[in-house]
Amino acid sequence: MAQYQIGSGSRAAAGLQKASGDPDFVLLNMRSESVSVSVSKTSEDTLMESKTTTGVDLDSISVAGGISTYLRPEFVDWLFEAAMGEADSGVYTLSEADAEPRKSEVYIERGTDVKKYADMAISSLNITANAQKIVEAQIEFIGKQEATGTFPTGLTSVSKSYKCTDAYLKYGAASSQTALPVETLSFNINNNLVEGPRTYMSGLYAEDPIKGLRDVTINWTMPRDKGASSKYDAMRAYLESNDYVRLELQFSNGTEDETVNVVFPNVAITAGNSNVSGPQVIDSSFSGRAVQVGTAEPITVTVSHPTSTL
């Protein structure tokens, strides 16, 4: 009787590549993945009589795909450094425009089959943080090639996943801002990576990816309140103005005192509605973009670990 491999028990690990030495690997509590190899093959387009094309030639090889996880303290620092840039005193901000994307070495164990993916850069990171729900992360990569590997040893996952315990939207003058509770929220850091050029020297594999103008977008909902001057109306007014709102999030994992604080100081609202979808509470939905105003960072991520762990 044939036996088939199942997904249960599959693992993923990642670590930032160094100038020398092996990466410091972390275990990702993988939910699913789509990392795969893509190739380009061309055939000669001639008028010679044949039943099919007369042959193909391999032009290029590349790797791309994503890993879906629940966010945990063991790998949160790797994730935000790989997606944004190196931290300063525990605070992650977007790296300078001309900084090269950080590259990671990623291993995926699919049953007994282990594949190694070097030079993997995060093209986008999407975080879903709904109220009192486990925080989800979708990590999208661009890489170069796949090879057979050996899964890193000694990796464990002992901490609980983060939950979104606080999410507030603030508006008005800085000295007297009004805070509104947020129900559901997701944000996306898009590094807009493109494959590097292919040259005579690069061969089948492209050169390192190039970072474009990054884009940070946010989507959130709030339960609509009653009243002639509702909070929805206050938010809706920002849609047709040049003013900004502020978003603050906190993730924590309960008694372990692991926290992540995410702040978007200047969010331009780009869409807003409050449509009726049934007899339940009406949700107000908004979309926005985090923008750089003066020297204020578009996004800051502060990671705090208790001294007794990690």
Side-chain angles (χ1 to χ4, degrees), residues 86-92 302-303:
E86 190 172 354
D88 182 2
S89 301
V91 180
Y92 295 92
T302 304
V303 177

Side-chain angles (χ1 to χ4, degrees), residues 208-222:
D208 291 340
I210 300 169
K211 183 170 54 183
L213 181 65
R214 285 156 293 180
D215 197 22
V216 181
T217 55
I218 311 107
N219 296 285
W220 70 93
T221 65
M222 303 182 301

